[in-house]
Amino acid sequence: MTKFDVLTVGNAIVDIIARCDDQFLIDNKITKAAMNLIDADRAGLLYSRMGPALEASGGSAGNTAAGVASLGGKAAYFGKVAEDQLGEIFAHDIRAQGVHYRTEAKGKFPPTARSMIFVTDDGERSMNTYLGACVELGPEDVEADVVAQAKVTYFEGYLWDPPRAKEAILDCARIAHENGREMSMTLSDSFCVDRYRSEFLDLMRSGKVDIVFANRQEILSLYETDDFEEALNKIAKDCKIAAVTMSEDGAVILKGNERHYVDAIKINEVVDTTGAGDLFASGFLYGYTQGRTLEDCGKLGCLAAGIVIQQIGPRPMKSLSDAAREAGLI
């Protein structure tokens, strides 16, 4: 028996989102369209320079769990917050989405993680993340019974930045596979891949990870090539299933010699790309844990991603299950 469809593990982060122009990024030495890790002092400086902002619970894997729940799936989440206001906001929001979450908060310092996200007119988001309490996630936070009862355990590549989280993920992989479950990861971003390329490849090639999510830039970085076709061929050999997103060109799902190309949905306007990859993963994993075809999984992923980029913030404001039903996908 399985109690959960998808368990996600990640950095529990509250997003603080504001609009800006490209000159603001240049003036503040912010790398556009990337996740920049920052310290507490830089977090305070950028916050002081932000315009009007929206606070919303985020974190890559947390967004994915929320998306699975919005589609009607049974989701759980592991992620560390502090005993402070942002920690209370995060815990409230993810539980309100219907996600099982009982990771114990730890003290008041370091404080709950936050990411200052600057959204430019083209919808690109540039993230500046202070990890704070995220780095406290460790093996003691692994709820073995939840891992054992989840069809798929999914984690974000960003977890390779805080050291003890690696131990937690390896514990999850062991428990999941001992119980006949599957492990999944997202490469998170190309800078993250640059930092941990050999370790990510080892996770895939050793069988610790079964399903890998990436975008075009991330797999090019993973295999250190400019040839997208070459990268696709390599990732198909290195893991059981790979789901590769291609922005407005949709996605391609690879399993052995199988390839399934899926179109992006038509959208009115790109408002904010924050959470696009996270929600693609939620749609795909929801379909996968319901026994759908890989093509249908890809379609559900593209639908969820297409909906979230038409709003501000990384968690769906409308019911994804209603949207999927309207699209004839569930």
Side-chain angles (χ1 to χ4, degrees):
M1 292 292 291
T2 55
K3 186 175 180 180
F4 302 103
D5 296 313
V6 182
L7 160 66
T8 74
V9 189
N11 289 325
I13 298 171
V14 175
D15 292 335
I16 304 171
I17 307 167
R19 291 195 167 276
C20 75
D21 57 22
D22 285 283
Q23 190 60 47
F24 180 91
L25 301 181
I26 295 167
D27 291 344
N28 288 279
K29 298 180 174 58
I30 296 169
T31 304
K32 186 173 181 178
M35 194 281 281
N36 308 277
L37 287 176
I38 59 175
D39 61 18
D41 290 343
R42 174 107 170 123
L45 176 67
L46 291 179
Y47 186 70
S48 72
R49 294 178 177 177
M50 290 183 96
L54 167 74
E55 292 184 359
S57 296
S60 176
N63 298 337
T64 299
V68 170
S70 183
L71 280 159
K74 294 170 286 185
Y77 177 72
F78 299 164
K80 203 75 165 174
V81 297
E83 295 172 338
D84 56 18
Q85 185 178 8
L86 289 184
E88 290 175 5
I89 289 171
F90 184 93
H92 168 270
D93 287 356
I94 199 161
R95 290 171 182 148
Q97 292 269 2
V99 176
H100 169 95
Y101 175 60
R102 63 184 185 197
T103 306
E104 185 178 351
K106 184 175 182 179
K108 296 187 182 297
F109 190 84
T112 296
R114 71 285 315 268
S115 183
M116 269 66 70
I117 301 177
F118 296 95
V119 182
T120 41
D121 290 340
D122 55 3
E124 279 292 356
R125 79 281 186 271
S126 305
M127 300 181 288
N128 302 268
T129 304
Y130 168 57
L131 289 175
C134 284
V135 301
E136 303 297 327
L137 183 75
E140 68 277 5
D141 296 306
V142 173
E143 300 163 47
D145 60 324
V146 176
V147 181
Q149 295 179 82
K151 295 176 185 175
V152 176
T153 294
Y154 166 94
F155 68 95
E156 56 190 72
Y158 289 137
L159 280 181
W160 249 239
D161 286 313
R164 295 178 65 250
K166 295 182 186 183
E167 299 175 48
I169 293 303
L170 294 175
D171 279 355
C172 286
R174 175 183 54 78
I175 295 165
H177 288 135
E178 284 176 355
N179 286 274
R181 312 303 185 194
E182 290 179 289
M183 286 294 293
S184 177
M185 75 174 292
T186 171
L187 296 185
S188 291
D189 79 13
S190 56
F191 294 93
C192 187
V193 173
D194 285 340
R195 294 194 292 275
Y196 305 110
R197 180 177 294 107
S198 62
E199 292 177 71
F200 287 175
L201 286 169
D202 180 66
L203 286 170
M204 296 158 58
R205 291 167 177 168
S206 68
K208 291 184 179 71
V209 167
D210 305 289
I211 305 167
V212 176
F213 292 87
N215 64 26
R216 192 194 308 260
Q217 292 74 29
E218 289 157 7
I219 67 163
L220 292 176
S221 173
L222 184 67
Y223 294 106
E224 299 181 277
T225 180
D226 293 325
D227 187 331
F228 186 51
E229 184 66 23
E230 177 190 347
L232 289 177
N233 289 334
K234 286 184 174 179
I235 201 169
K237 293 175 182 175
D238 281 341
C239 59
K240 178 180 172 184
I241 295 172
V244 181
T245 58
M246 304 178 292
S247 300
E248 66 273 11
D249 294 324
V252 56
I253 317 302
L254 305 103
K255 181 181 181 181
N257 294 323
E258 293 179 42
R259 282 199 192 185
H260 305 275
Y261 287 90
V262 180
D263 292 332
I265 67 167
K266 289 183 171 59
I267 61 171
N268 297 319
E269 179 189 8
V270 176
V271 175
D272 174 12
T273 58
T274 309
D278 308 333
L279 270 293
F280 177 87
S282 67
F284 184 96
L285 290 172
Y286 171 76
Y288 186 76
T289 56
Q290 305 306 306
R292 303 295 296 271
T293 65
L294 291 178
E295 184 177 3
D296 281 350
C297 293
K299 288 179 179 178
L300 283 161
C302 285
L303 175 74
I307 288 171
V308 83
I309 65 174
Q310 296 181 79
Q311 64 170 55
I312 288 285
R315 296 194 179 174
M317 294 178 183
K318 63 179 285 186
S319 165
L320 292 183
S321 62
D322 288 348
R325 203 167 288 111
E326 289 169 14
L329 293 175
I330 60 174

